[in-house]
Amino acid sequence: MLEGKKILLGVTGSIAAYKVAILVRLLIKAGAEVKVILTPAAKEFVSPLTLSTLSRNPVLMDLVNDDTWQNHVLLGRWADIMLLAPLSCNTLSKMASGTCDNLLMAVYLSATCKVAVAPAMDEDMWLHPATKRNLQIINNFGNIVLPVDSGELASGLIGEGRMMEPAVMADWLKNYFSTGMPLSGKKVLVTAGPTYEPIDPVRFIGNHSSGKMGLAIALELEKRGAEVTLIVGPTSLDIPDYINTIKVQTAAEMFDVCVDLFPHVNIAVMSAAVADFTPVISAQEKIKKSDADLSIAFTKTKDILKYLGENKKLNQLLIGFALETSDEENYAKKKLIEKNADLIVLNSLKDEGAGFGYDTNKITIFDKLGNTHYFDKKSKKEVAVDIVNSIIQIL
Ligand code: CTP
């Protein structure tokens, strides 16, 4: 949900500065671009090397480095949000008074983006009227003041003033960016790729699904503010870290994960090409070549889409896929009813450039009200936009 978001993280001199290493890691994992500015005092608490390694960007500390001037105005314009964490009492006071004596303050005073702060100080400083006044002043400037936690403080005393935990801060940022987005607050499960059904330890029955369509849908849903879990069969896809991914091999494993997750999601998009049959017996040892022919007995796998359709609650949406080679529309409409789905996305193998392995697809979407929507051949990324638009429409 933070994919491509530019976060400028200002770190000031507080013992809580060591925790920003975890925060930076979480933000990068969530897909954000992070640049870190340290005040001179912050360097005493956290190493620039740690933060430059984790943020994958040089850590900025000085307005002038040798003969190079740091363009503080552009930094404030680069960012989608500037977050000062931890915010010390001293930097808070400078923000309130407009003091410009280091790079962080120069960037703050010229920043055109939203500014948020996560204060960290001992309780007595936190409760001092000067602190309260300064917080009120920066709040009036339009800065967002995040709440502090209670607990053990650097002084050893117990009280208010601990910096908000990094994981909570990362969640706050995700919410900040997704608020107002059409799928904000929605949890979505997406299945993608093939399943491999083992014959013996080295052989399997599979199919040509690349998982590209499912991944494109997961990325698009995430972009529109949804919290996505991608359940993916064996693929060579490069899945970004910020997509919460569960890897499975077989139809049975995919079934178990979907059944566990389904009660906790609002929407399920079943784009995986799940095997319909699996070998009755998977040999423990490699099957040796012999003169006789080999016959393998297959049994049906559990139909995940059908199971979810039977267990769907009124406030849940279920989207299924249909891949057909003949009489496509009738089969797709039949699937919509039989599987109790809200949408069926049909791709026909008859359409050139559509289906397994291609970067393009041509779909038709059938909804429960009897509407049929035809789409042109497009890139899978654009097809994902059409599918997510249809989901948003029926929400
Ligand atoms: N599907 C599933 N579990 C299975 C098989 C398929 O959840 N064991 C889902 C797919 O993810 C897809 C939809 O069912 O969303 C359609 O799959 P498809 O193979 O086209 O249809 P089937 O229902 O298996 O029927 P048929 O093979 O007769 O077309």
Side-chain angles (χ1 to χ4, degrees), residues 204-219:
F204 60 84
I205 297 281
N207 60 63
H208 292 300
S209 169
S210 63
K212 284 180 187 170
M213 193 64 249
L215 177 60
I217 295 169
L219 295 174

Side-chain angles (χ1 to χ4, degrees), residues 191 251 254-255 269-277 301-306 319-324 331 335 338-339 344:
T191 65
M254 193 174 270
F255 178 86
V269 183
M270 315 302 290
S271 73
V274 188
D276 287 327
F277 296 96
T301 57
K302 289 186 205 162
D303 188 329
I304 310 170
L305 181 63
K306 191 156 192 277
I319 291 86
F321 276 66
L323 180 69
E324 308 291 349
Y331 279 129
K335 243 166 234 179
E338 282 176 359
K339 313 272 174 121
I344 287 284

Side-chain angles (χ1 to χ4, degrees), residues 262-281:
F262 191 56
H264 310 288
V265 301
N266 308 95
I267 305 164
V269 183
M270 315 302 290
S271 73
V274 188
D276 287 327
F277 296 96
T278 190
V280 176
I281 295 168

Side-chain angles (χ1 to χ4, degrees), residues 118-364:
M121 54 196 84
D122 254 294
E123 188 176 45
D124 297 333
M125 293 166 96
W126 174 248
L127 295 176
H128 196 281
T131 305
K132 296 290 166 217
R133 181 201 59 202
N134 289 338
L135 286 169
Q136 189 57 55
I137 291 172
I138 67 161
N139 195 244
N140 292 345
F141 292 163
N143 301 163
I144 301 167
V145 179
L146 299 178
V148 292
D149 283 348
S150 276
E152 194 175 339
L153 300 162
S155 59
L157 297 172
I158 310 282
E160 266 183 71
R162 276 167 67 100
M163 184 179 79
M164 177 184 269
E165 286 302 319
V168 181
M169 225 182 299
D171 283 345
W172 178 83
L173 281 165
K174 287 177 192 166
N175 276 336
Y176 171 81
F177 283 113
S178 68
T179 301
M181 291 168 111
L183 294 175
S184 161
K186 297 277 183 257
K187 292 193 166 124
V188 190
L189 171 170
V190 179
T191 65
T195 62
Y196 284 0
E197 309 303 317
I199 295 171
D200 69 13
V202 295
R203 301 181 181 94
F204 60 84
I205 297 281
N207 60 63
H208 292 300
S209 169
S210 63
K212 284 180 187 170
M213 193 64 249
L215 177 60
I217 295 169
L219 295 174
E220 187 58 31
L221 288 163
E222 185 95 13
K223 221 183 204 174
R224 310 282 194 99
E227 200 182 307
V228 179
T229 302
L230 180 66
I231 303 162
V232 64
T235 68
S236 55
L237 285 174
D238 195 6
I239 303 170
D241 281 354
Y242 64 86
I243 298 283
N244 180 25
T245 305
I246 301 174
K247 292 189 174 168
V248 296
Q249 288 282 324
T250 63
E253 283 171 24
M254 193 174 270
F255 178 86
D256 287 345
V257 177
C258 287
V259 168
D260 273 358
L261 275 181
F262 191 56
H264 310 288
V265 301
N266 308 95
I267 305 164
V269 183
M270 315 302 290
S271 73
V274 188
D276 287 327
F277 296 96
T278 190
V280 176
I281 295 168
S282 166
Q284 292 296 309
E285 304 292 339
K286 186 182 165 203
I287 300 171
K288 298 299 284 178
K289 192 163 49 199
S290 73
D291 288 340
D293 289 339
L294 175 69
S295 297
I296 298 173
F298 287 95
T299 179
K300 269 173 79 174
T301 57
K302 289 186 205 162
D303 188 329
I304 310 170
L305 181 63
K306 191 156 192 277
Y307 179 90
L308 300 190
E310 285 163 1
N311 290 279
K312 190 176 71 167
K313 301 211 180 68
L314 278 176
N315 58 355
Q316 287 180 306
L317 284 187
L318 184 60
I319 291 86
F321 276 66
L323 180 69
E324 308 291 349
T325 52
S326 64
D327 203 10
E328 295 93 340
E329 292 212 6
N330 281 333
Y331 279 129
K333 284 178 186 162
K334 207 168 141 224
K335 243 166 234 179
L336 187 72
I337 296 160
E338 282 176 359
K339 313 272 174 121
N340 192 24
D342 297 278
L343 292 179
I344 287 284
V345 181
L346 166 73
N347 22 166
S348 165
L349 280 185
K350 277 185 177 167
D351 291 312
E352 206 183 313
F356 289 162
Y358 291 102
D359 287 323
T360 49
N361 205 0
K362 186 170 183 303
I363 58 158
T364 310

